[in-house]
Amino acid sequence: MTVRDILQIGHPVLRGQARPLTVADVGAARTQRLIDDLVDTMRAADGAGLAATQVGEAVQVCVAEVRPGNPRYPYKPVIPLTVLINPVVEPLTAETFANYEGCLSVPGLRGIVERAVEVRVRALDREGVPIDRVVRGLSAGTFQHETDHLRGRLFVDLVADTRSLCTWDEFRLRHEAAFTARALALVARFGS
């Protein structure tokens, strides 16, 4: 198990464009180790996802997974471990959800980001097999958040009303109950 340091907001790698991988790169031992490290690091931090840029690798690789009972995201539906290489996420609707987001690279801070409730995700998996799926509901926000990292964007860049920014403790005290109710309604509607 290799748990890497997660870069924090202010580090220049988080603001750069990650480069796509070639098909040959996907099968390379270096890429496969990176994927394993991303999974280990994400799980150790109780994250819902992690992008390569967050561990200092400027390549288009990210992982997403929500296990039952995740203490950081008790309201999120389960997402099986998903590896995305060279991902493209395309909104399929103009409908959005006001998602109270946090980020392992922006510790202790949360804020509201409008996320499309239905997206098409295209990428390669860790074996280089094409993925083409529709993701709906709260899970769609997770995939949008992780792929934003690969384009140098953090959730704080997308917060329209900065008055929604709050610490983790203030979120739990003042906003979590109402947000959880809205999130669970979205999960019930889409099943994800």
Side-chain angles (χ1 to χ4, degrees):
M1 178 170 166
T2 301
V3 175
R4 295 203 195 181
D5 291 335
I6 297 173
L7 302 182
Q8 304 296 295
I9 188 171
H11 194 290
V13 173
L14 291 172
R15 296 312 196 157
Q17 293 281 327
R19 73 172 174 80
L21 296 181
T22 66
V23 173
D25 290 334
V26 172
R30 173 179 164 81
T31 302
Q32 294 300 311
R33 272 193 312 275
L34 171 61
I35 292 167
D36 290 339
D37 291 354
L38 287 172
V39 172
D40 291 344
T41 305
M42 171 187 65
R43 287 176 175 169
D46 290 323
L50 194 67
T53 52
Q54 292 180 272
V55 297
E57 303 278 347
V59 294
Q60 290 189 18
V61 179
C62 62
V63 296
E65 179 184 52
V66 177
R67 293 174 166 191
N70 183 311
R72 290 186 76 229
Y73 300 104
Y75 45 82
K76 282 195 175 199
V78 170
I79 297 175
L81 178 61
T82 305
V83 175
L84 301 174
I85 298 171
N86 303 336
V88 175
V89 174
E90 170 191 0
L92 295 177
T93 178
E95 182 184 356
T96 62
F97 174 73
N99 196 20
Y100 241 117
E101 294 191 14
C103 180
L104 296 172
S105 290
V106 187
L109 194 64
R110 314 257 312 165
I112 295 176
V113 176
E114 291 293 330
R115 294 292 188 185
V117 299
E118 184 176 27
V119 296
R120 180 179 183 191
V121 178
R122 288 175 288 157
L124 299 176
D125 71 9
R126 76 178 301 160
E127 285 82 35
V129 176
I131 296 169
D132 189 345
R133 72 173 67 139
V134 174
V135 181
R136 295 177 178 89
L138 204 54
S139 298
T142 301
F143 287 92
Q144 291 168 79
H145 178 106
E146 295 312 321
T147 57
D148 280 347
H149 277 295
L150 304 177
R151 282 133 188 98
R153 292 189 304 222
L154 299 174
F155 86 91
V156 292
D157 303 327
L158 304 172
V159 172
D161 184 351
T162 56
R163 293 175 295 177
S164 76
L165 291 170
C166 60
T167 65
W168 179 262
D169 289 340
E170 287 296 316
F171 169 75
R172 297 202 98 162
L173 179 67
R174 302 182 193 288
H175 307 290
E176 185 175 38
F179 175 71
T180 297
R182 290 188 301 108
L184 292 175
L186 188 68
V187 170
R189 180 176 158 207
F190 288 104
S192 59

